[in-house]
Amino acid sequence: MIGALLLALAATAAPEPTYLVERIVTVGGAETRVSVFRNGVAVLARRRPGEAENVVRQPLSEVEMKVVTQVVEECYPEIARFSGVGDTPGSGRVELRLAPPGKNPLLVRYAVTAAPSLAVARLAQALDGLEGRLVATRVTREDLSGWEPAPGDRVELEDGRVVQVLSVTPSLDSVVVHLQVGDGPATFFITEQELRRLAVRRVAK
């Protein structure tokens, strides 16, 4: 009984974010996501209606990572107080996620037509620069929409990590997947839907 309860608590606990900052812009059926992960990898993922998703991954230099981290940390306090302006139905949407080390993850949503605060504008400028560097390269992402995770399956995530499925457990409103990172002792829980979103391709066993 106690063991089952502990497993349930572990499965529902939110894992520590692997990203430092992430921006998702959705206009119509098109989505563009720029992410910087804590391990120093920048990722650009673009999805257009009727097209395969394209993902570009590039490691940042130590200096570049320090600059991005500094911008995120300096913008965090103001963005935490930011609220959307001019958010009208039917407009494009921006979802901004910040997770600097030592601070609570932050999620802000606003319309693309909203007048951004100075902090949001500064962070957007930094992310625009990263996107501009990555946009010329196209890497086709494997279509995993029909993939049903099973114990033993291995996939590569956007941040470059290879994870192996240890177990798959149905819950009330989702399916929880227990993953092992590489061949090490680190494991974490994630929903099946989120795993499909983060997985780039399957890896041979």
Side-chain angles (χ1 to χ4, degrees):
M1 178 71 177
I2 295 178
L5 177 60
L6 291 176
L7 177 60
L9 290 174
T12 56
E16 181 74 9
T18 58
Y19 62 86
L20 173 67
V21 60
E22 184 170 66
R23 180 183 66 185
I24 303 172
V25 180
T26 305
V27 179
E31 178 182 289
T32 300
R33 177 158 45 91
V34 180
S35 310
V36 177
F37 292 92
R38 292 184 180 183
N39 63 357
V41 175
V43 174
L44 170 65
R46 296 189 293 176
R47 182 185 296 113
R48 301 290 184 269
E51 298 180 7
E53 183 176 33
N54 287 283
V55 178
V56 179
R57 182 171 58 243
Q58 179 178 324
L60 301 179
S61 68
E62 183 177 350
V63 173
E64 290 173 325
M65 190 61 184
K66 285 183 178 179
V67 170
V68 174
T69 301
Q70 180 178 346
V71 172
V72 170
E73 290 179 342
E74 292 178 354
C75 293
Y76 181 94
E78 182 181 338
I79 293 178
R81 299 188 296 270
F82 177 82
S83 60
V85 178
D87 189 356
T88 56
S91 63
R93 303 283 300 183
V94 179
E95 185 172 295
L96 192 60
R97 303 175 181 177
L98 290 79
K103 293 184 173 63
N104 292 327
L106 177 65
L107 171 61
V108 178
R109 295 186 179 95
Y110 55 94
V112 295
T113 55
S117 66
L118 291 177
V120 170
R122 181 186 176 196
L123 186 55
Q125 184 178 26
L127 294 175
D128 287 343
L130 280 176
E131 182 177 342
R133 288 175 47 191
L134 298 171
V135 73
T137 306
R138 289 177 175 267
V139 178
T140 302
R141 184 176 194 146
E142 182 180 352
D143 182 9
L144 297 176
S145 59
W147 172 54
E148 298 290 340
D153 287 354
R154 292 166 60 88
V155 292
E156 180 183 352
L157 303 183
E158 288 180 344
D159 60 7
R161 293 180 299 170
V162 174
V163 297
Q164 178 172 316
V165 177
L166 297 179
S167 65
V168 179
T169 307
S171 64
L172 292 178
D173 56 357
S174 63
V175 176
V176 177
V177 183
H178 189 192
L179 299 174
Q180 177 184 9
V181 181
D183 297 320
T187 67
F188 64 96
F189 293 89
I190 192 173
T191 65
E192 183 181 58
Q193 181 179 5
E194 184 70 1
L195 176 58
R196 287 199 191 96
R197 186 182 76 83
L198 295 177
V200 175
R201 60 181 60 85
R202 281 174 284 195
V203 177
K205 301 178 183 178

